[in-house]
Amino acid sequence: MVLSFVQPLKLLNATTDSRTTNGVPIGMNSAVVDYFTSHGVRVMLSIGGITCTDAWNTALAQNATLLGQRAGALASQLGVGIKINYEQSAGPNLTGLQAFIDAYRAAHPYDVSGTDPTARLTIDVAAGDRWLIALDQYATAHWLTTGAPVGRVLNGAQDVAVTAGIDYWVTFAPAAKADGAVDFSRWGAWEESVACLEARGLTDREDFALDLIGAGRPIPAQGLMFLGWFTEKAMTEVDDILVRVRVTDRVGDTHERVIALMKGAIRSPQHPDPPPF
């Protein structure tokens, strides 16, 4: 659930008027948020919108860092995530926007587990190739992935699912195969996958992590389950790791998904992130 819209300049100035309290619309309060979260619905607040482009530009120019800090404080106050809705298609203030994000992330770092609602920071980059192009390009270069790729599976249903089984298929980079590494020829267990990575000189929970997930592990409604994490060193050895996850829903139906953990990974990140554990 995304509640719209917080006007960015009013948030920066902590404005109180007939419709706003400390920069926040009066309808965006704890009672409203608690109603949705008590029914298992995640809540985010959208800052901006097409009618707030000038307000975004002014707020970013005046004090982008303070705006990010106030957004972070608002997220803490209500226990919500934040959606950036900055609709400046031509010449957006990317420096200011980055300062906003840096300030927000200083208060709410990225959460690999997905359990901290305040760590959910997203941005609307529109659809197609005719709108918000500069934002799209900047997002692709700087925000599309964490410094080290993190794999997760999302239960998008409104009820809990239970893990029925999980398998792995490891394939190695050409240089590693030239050095003797052998791709899996079948789905393998967690122990086999970890062992083959360690055989390449990689250290578990230092160079990579594959979460040990057993049958019966629940995935809460709208919840994320951590699957894996890899450093640049690991990505020079591994081409990809496929994870086959099978879950059973509340009525007993079985669902299966295959996740490619390295899909879209930046293998030589400029700013690697620390381990997520």
Side-chain angles (χ1 to χ4, degrees):
M1 169 65 67
V2 179
L3 303 179
S4 305
F5 293 99
V6 178
Q7 206 263 36
L9 191 56
K10 287 188 176 183
L11 180 62
L12 174 64
N13 295 328
T15 300
T16 296
D17 55 28
S18 61
R19 297 185 176 183
T20 310
T21 301
N22 293 326
V24 184
I26 57 177
M28 297 184 189
N29 54 53
S30 296
V32 173
V33 171
D34 291 347
Y35 172 81
F36 288 109
T37 56
S38 68
H39 288 77
V41 178
R42 296 183 297 180
V43 179
M44 302 182 73
L45 304 187
S46 179
I47 300 178
I50 190 64
T51 62
C52 295
T53 302
D54 289 343
W56 257 115
N57 287 330
T58 301
L60 291 176
Q62 285 186 3
N63 198 330
T65 296
L66 179 58
L67 180 61
Q69 291 169 342
R70 294 223 158 127
L74 175 58
S76 296
Q77 175 188 340
L78 296 179
V80 298
I82 295 294
K83 176 186 177 185
I84 300 168
N85 205 325
Y86 179 35
E87 302 277 352
Q88 181 65 50
S89 188
N93 184 348
L94 298 175
T95 300
L97 189 59
Q98 185 65 64
F100 170 93
I101 291 172
D102 289 344
Y104 187 92
R105 280 293 180 223
H108 303 295
Y110 175 74
D111 174 30
V112 65
S113 71
T115 58
D116 179 6
T118 65
R120 298 182 189 121
L121 179 64
T122 67
I123 184 168
D124 184 356
V125 292
D129 58 358
R130 296 186 179 184
W131 187 247
L132 303 183
I133 303 306
L135 273 177
D136 287 343
Q137 292 172 336
Y138 192 85
T140 300
H142 298 274
W143 306 327
L144 189 59
T145 182
T146 58
V150 177
R152 298 172 295 174
V153 61
L154 168 68
N155 175 15
Q158 297 299 318
D159 210 340
V160 67
V162 177
T163 305
I166 186 165
D167 306 292
Y168 303 86
W169 195 303
V170 181
T171 58
F172 289 97
K177 287 193 280 191
D179 190 43
V182 179
D183 292 345
F184 277 22
S185 59
R186 56 173 175 77
W187 290 103
W190 176 85
E191 293 83 358
E192 296 175 84
S193 304
V194 171
C196 80
L197 295 176
E198 290 180 331
R200 295 300 305 167
L202 302 175
T203 302
D204 187 18
R205 298 184 72 81
E206 181 177 317
D207 300 314
F208 73 95
L210 289 176
D211 201 17
L212 177 56
I213 301 168
R217 180 168 174 176
I219 310 175
Q222 300 294 314
L224 290 165
M225 182 170 68
F226 173 77
L227 294 177
W229 167 86
F230 306 90
T231 63
E232 184 174 356
K233 178 181 177 181
M235 289 187 288
T236 63
E237 293 284 336
V238 178
D239 179 60
D240 208 345
I241 297 180
L242 304 181
V243 183
R244 182 173 65 180
V245 181
R246 296 180 301 282
V247 301
T248 304
D249 63 23
R250 188 174 184 179
V251 299
D253 292 335
T254 299
H255 307 267
E256 180 177 299
R257 295 290 184 272
V258 176
I259 299 101
L261 295 184
M262 299 292 188
K263 183 178 181 180
I266 297 176
R267 294 180 181 259
S268 297
Q270 294 181 350
H271 305 289
D273 291 339
F277 31 74

